[in-house]
Amino acid sequence: MSEELRPIDKLKALVRQRSAERDDLPLEERRRAMDATLEVFGVPEGVEVSETELAGMKTDRIVPAGKTPQGRFLYYHGGGYVLGSPRSHRHMTALLALKTGRELVVPDYRLAPEHVFPAAVEDGLAAYRALLDEGHAPGDIVLGGDSAGGGLTLAVLLKAREEGLPMPAAACLISPWVDLKCNSGAYESRAEADPMIDQSGIAEMAALYLGGASAGEPLASPLFADLTGLPPLFIQVGDAEVLLDDSRLLAERAKAAGVDAMLDVWPEMIHVWHAYYPMLPEGGRALEDIAAYLAKRPGAARLSA
């Protein structure tokens, strides 16, 4: 009798199959397929979801039901700057709201190729500025995102610093894509282990987003930016993903710039494994670790009934 596959092995097989099925689909169909994640996993009980508008963008605002959050978590979804939406990530952002006790604010920033760099950065900054304009203290706000959303988080922080805006309390980056040159060593060393991302595919997404801009532009690839003055960074990445070196190098360069950066590498985990928490225990535990990290930051959310 054969041994039953572990949840992570089942997930890798499923992701390989889904990735192969979607690779050749037209972009709009790939977008619809990604948004359909919400129908597959659903939203956990205990949250209230409002589809609102922020800085001219459709925006999810998610709070723990019956509680008043004392902090905000501005979250930028992933999808390579060409896919994804608040809807595609709602199952995960809803659980983050429950775990952190914060209001999750998820803007529907503009995507490429219809809107190339720096459109996403402009929208991301506009969302952060709008929260400040609502009267929220910067110390009560955290920023974060997954994959391209992790890179966008850093780009927004850099642009906010450039424009003299106050920094938020912290930033949480999940499998961040911060180097659009897409040529680090992990693209080779983790090629077989990663069931989701391959070098040619992600380079194509980078080209769509850049629209002719240089991949070395700091606001497109924050790995090459001066990171001085950024808030504390909590970086989570899986050991089985080709973006592993993005996180490793980011943590090194952030620390060299005097930034409080914590790198959390998860053995065997794939790109943004958090999104699969309904079928992967490590996904839920990683989100709990984000909540635990934020609970120790100044301005940590405290809920009132």
Side-chain angles (χ1 to χ4, degrees):
M1 185 175 180
S2 61
E3 291 186 15
E4 184 176 354
L5 288 175
R6 300 173 303 159
I8 185 59
D9 295 324
K10 291 180 179 179
L11 177 59
K12 287 180 178 179
L14 176 62
V15 170
R16 287 187 192 280
Q17 177 186 342
R18 293 287 174 83
S19 296
E21 291 172 350
R22 295 176 182 178
D23 279 349
D24 295 328
L25 291 177
L27 181 57
E28 283 306 317
E29 289 188 32
R30 293 177 67 192
R31 287 174 174 170
R32 285 194 290 271
M34 191 166 181
D35 278 358
T37 303
L38 179 61
E39 280 68 49
V40 175
F41 290 137
V43 173
E45 295 183 0
V47 296
E48 297 173 354
V49 180
S50 299
E51 296 181 10
T52 62
E53 187 173 288
L54 183 72
M57 291 171 278
K58 294 180 180 178
T59 300
D60 271 9
R61 300 190 80 146
I62 308 172
V63 297
K67 303 290 184 179
T68 302
Q70 302 303 310
R72 304 293 177 272
F73 192 145
L74 178 56
Y75 191 93
Y76 304 110
H77 68 79
Y81 295 107
V82 301
L83 305 170
S85 69
R87 183 177 182 83
S88 67
H89 283 62
R90 191 177 296 165
H91 68 293
M92 188 170 79
T93 52
L95 190 61
L96 262 177
L98 286 174
K99 298 292 187 183
T100 64
R102 293 177 178 265
E103 179 186 37
L104 263 288
V105 182
V106 191
D108 193 12
Y109 61 86
R110 288 173 291 172
L111 299 177
E114 297 91 339
H115 306 281
V116 298
F117 170 81
V121 182
E122 294 169 350
D123 287 354
L125 181 66
Y128 180 51
R129 192 188 295 275
L131 287 184
L132 294 173
D133 290 345
E134 286 181 357
H136 304 298
D140 289 335
I141 301 172
V142 298
L143 269 58
D146 64 280
S147 193
L152 181 55
T153 298
L154 284 175
V156 169
L157 292 173
L158 293 167
K159 191 65 176 173
R161 183 191 65 187
E162 177 185 314
E163 298 198 2
L165 295 178
M167 289 292 102
C172 298
L173 313 177
I174 297 173
S175 300
W177 185 26
V178 295
D179 179 2
L180 271 62
K181 293 183 180 181
C182 307
N183 60 4
S184 72
Y187 281 97
E188 181 176 349
S189 66
R190 297 303 189 273
E192 293 299 319
D194 192 327
M196 185 183 303
I197 301 175
D198 63 76
Q199 191 171 18
S200 62
I202 198 169
E204 182 180 342
M205 284 186 163
L208 289 174
Y209 175 56
L210 290 168
S214 169
E217 161 63 45
L219 290 182
S221 295
L223 184 63
F224 307 118
D226 174 7
L227 304 176
T228 304
L230 294 194
L233 305 178
F234 183 49
I235 307 164
Q236 290 183 320
V237 67
D239 188 59
E241 55 175 306
V242 297
L243 292 186
L244 175 60
D245 284 349
D246 282 47
S247 289
R248 285 175 169 170
L249 293 171
L250 174 64
E252 290 176 8
R253 295 182 184 185
K255 290 176 182 177
V259 176
D260 177 1
M262 181 182 296
L263 177 64
D264 188 22
V265 181
W266 284 62
E268 298 188 85
M269 292 300 107
I270 66 172
H271 188 61
V272 195
W273 69 98
H274 313 58
Y276 302 96
Y277 71 82
M279 58 187 297
L280 185 70
E282 290 89 345
R285 290 201 292 268
L287 293 173
E288 289 169 0
D289 282 0
I290 291 174
Y293 174 82
L294 292 178
K296 299 174 184 177
R297 308 312 309 173
R302 287 175 171 78
L303 299 181
S304 59

